[in-house]
Amino acid sequence: MTETPTISHSLTLDSREEATVLFGPRDNYLRSIRDAIGVRLVARGDTVQLDGTAEQVGQTERVFAQLRTVLRKQARLTAEDVKTVLDVIKGGEARTGALTLGTNESGKYMRPRTDGQGRYVQALKAHDIVLAVGPAGTGKTYLAVAWAVTLLRSGTVKKIVLVRPAVEAGEKLGYLPGDLIMKINPYLRPLFDSLNDILDAEIVKKYMESDIIEILPLAYMRGRTLSNACIILDEGQNATVNQMKMFLTRMGHQSKIVVTGDMTQVDLPRTVRSGLADAVHRLRNIEGICVMHLDEADIVRNPLVAKIVTAYDDEAKPRKPTTA
């Protein structure tokens, strides 16, 4: 029997401080990675030597890439973060179907397509409230709607409520033709698109007529309490702090809430703080609430979208002063 060849690879981290956090208390995280993947790890300062099969080394590199993303976004790392990333990278749960969200109308399985999306699906399944932040094209809304439909199909919830703030992206709502419903409809269209990709249009229509599915502007949520429901707020970066508080407190018994948003596309006046940015900071340490960050590596639209997002992000970064 031919022995599988092994390879060696050296991974250099940004600093010793980053390495200390990634390795964990007394190198516990490092041991978890070694035991889960079967790779040999030798840590020296800010470098890690990886020895194993090509598959083991590749998986380990993906684990470190995801852990570094988590650390960069939330400035800390927990044993649960390490376990979640290992579950996603190893693919054990994906093979048993735990990361699959049923099928869409075309019969295709709805599952995460990147490691970051895998962590997102894990978060949806493990928490009652998930705040998902990331650039356009990362599947934030689609996966949230797919999760809601999965919960509805299984009987876990009896209702889906899809919500969006009616905030103009540089255009004035009052100048649009038609009555209030016609004015609001363009803002809700992306939610219809996701829903119609997952469910047959006739089923969507039937569910909406019977109030099993509601799609409505954020302002219409005031005064309501929703139990046994999956409630999704899309474009949450355009909710004010008071609106976000109002929305999150609509949650009744046996309900789930998902808030999605892109902090680079805030359409609120400059003097108004984004409710999503505030919630991410204010609620990040509350048990039962998960703040999930996706980035350019998770963009699954046309490959050019990732390049466009990166180009705009690079332009927004402060430039280092040049010396004469």
Side-chain angles (χ1 to χ4, degrees):
M1 187 174 178
T2 307
E3 217 175 274
T4 305
T6 60
I7 62 172
S8 295
H9 179 71
S10 182
L11 180 65
T12 303
L13 305 172
D14 288 341
S15 64
R16 286 178 178 267
E17 290 74 19
E18 183 190 41
T20 299
V21 178
L22 288 170
F23 298 163
R26 299 186 179 184
D27 291 346
N28 282 342
Y29 301 165
L30 213 57
R31 280 192 287 274
S32 295
I33 297 169
R34 179 199 64 194
D35 295 344
I37 297 178
V39 69
R40 182 172 180 267
L41 299 174
V42 178
R44 295 189 181 91
D46 60 354
T47 64
V48 189
Q49 182 73 28
L50 317 177
D51 296 308
T53 65
E55 181 182 15
Q56 290 171 332
V57 170
Q59 286 181 339
T60 305
E61 288 178 325
R62 287 168 58 197
V63 167
F64 274 104
Q66 285 299 302
L67 292 178
R68 295 177 80 181
T69 296
V70 173
L71 178 59
R72 186 171 64 252
K73 297 295 184 180
Q74 63 187 36
R76 62 190 177 93
L77 210 57
T78 67
E80 187 61 30
D81 292 326
V82 177
K83 180 183 181 302
T84 298
V85 169
L86 284 170
D87 284 344
V88 171
I89 304 300
K90 282 291 291 177
E93 294 206 350
R95 283 194 291 270
T96 62
L99 289 182
T100 299
L101 300 172
T103 58
N104 65 9
E105 181 54 29
S106 303
K108 294 180 180 178
Y109 282 102
M110 299 179 294
R111 57 166 60 97
R113 293 169 57 187
T114 69
D115 293 335
Q117 287 187 349
R119 290 190 292 111
Y120 180 28
V121 172
Q122 293 270 46
L124 291 172
K125 296 191 173 194
H127 298 85
D128 289 335
I129 297 179
V130 176
L131 309 179
V133 181
T138 51
K140 303 182 301 294
T141 302
Y142 185 85
L143 288 173
V145 173
W147 173 233
V149 170
T150 299
L151 293 175
L152 185 65
R153 284 170 168 170
S154 67
T156 305
V157 300
K158 297 179 180 179
K159 186 180 185 70
I160 296 174
V161 182
L162 306 176
V163 185
R164 255 193 165 214
V167 175
E168 299 92 341
E171 301 173 38
K172 294 300 180 184
L173 190 63
Y175 293 137
L176 295 175
D179 59 17
L180 179 61
I181 299 301
M182 290 180 66
K183 290 174 187 289
I184 289 170
N185 187 64
Y187 294 92
L188 307 179
R189 190 72 251 170
L191 295 174
F192 279 106
D193 291 342
S194 295
L195 203 53
N196 285 324
D197 185 70
I198 297 167
L199 293 172
D200 180 81
E202 285 301 313
I203 294 177
V204 173
K205 182 180 177 182
K206 175 185 173 184
Y207 281 170
M208 291 186 68
E209 288 173 349
S210 57
D211 272 347
I212 293 174
I213 293 178
E214 280 190 85
I215 304 180
L216 68 164
L218 178 57
Y220 285 38
M221 290 290 288
R222 189 172 300 278
R224 302 185 65 182
T225 300
L226 294 166
S227 298
N228 298 298
C230 186
I231 315 156
I232 299 171
L233 173 60
D234 192 34
E235 299 289 346
Q237 78 278 1
N238 286 330
T240 66
V241 173
N242 286 337
Q243 286 174 329
M244 184 63 70
K245 178 185 176 184
M246 178 273 289
F247 173 78
L248 293 174
T249 54
R250 300 308 92 200
M251 186 181 192
H253 295 292
Q254 306 300 315
S255 286
K256 306 279 187 181
I257 281 183
V258 186
V259 180
T260 69
D262 179 357
M263 295 313 305
T264 68
Q265 295 189 22
V266 178
D267 297 315
L268 295 168
R270 290 181 179 274
T271 56
V272 178
R273 179 165 170 75
S274 165
L276 179 55
D278 178 80
V280 166
H281 174 75
R282 191 187 299 266
L283 308 178
R284 66 188 185 278
N285 294 322
I286 296 179
E287 187 175 352
I289 298 177
C290 176
V291 177
M292 178 68 220
H293 292 277
L294 298 167
D295 59 23
E296 289 80 3
D298 301 305
I299 293 175
V300 293
R301 290 183 187 167
N302 188 301
L304 282 175
V305 174
K307 295 179 181 179
I308 292 168
V309 170
T310 300
Y312 276 95
D313 285 349
D314 288 345
E315 185 67 24
K317 290 176 183 175
R319 299 181 182 278
K320 293 181 180 179
T322 55
T323 55

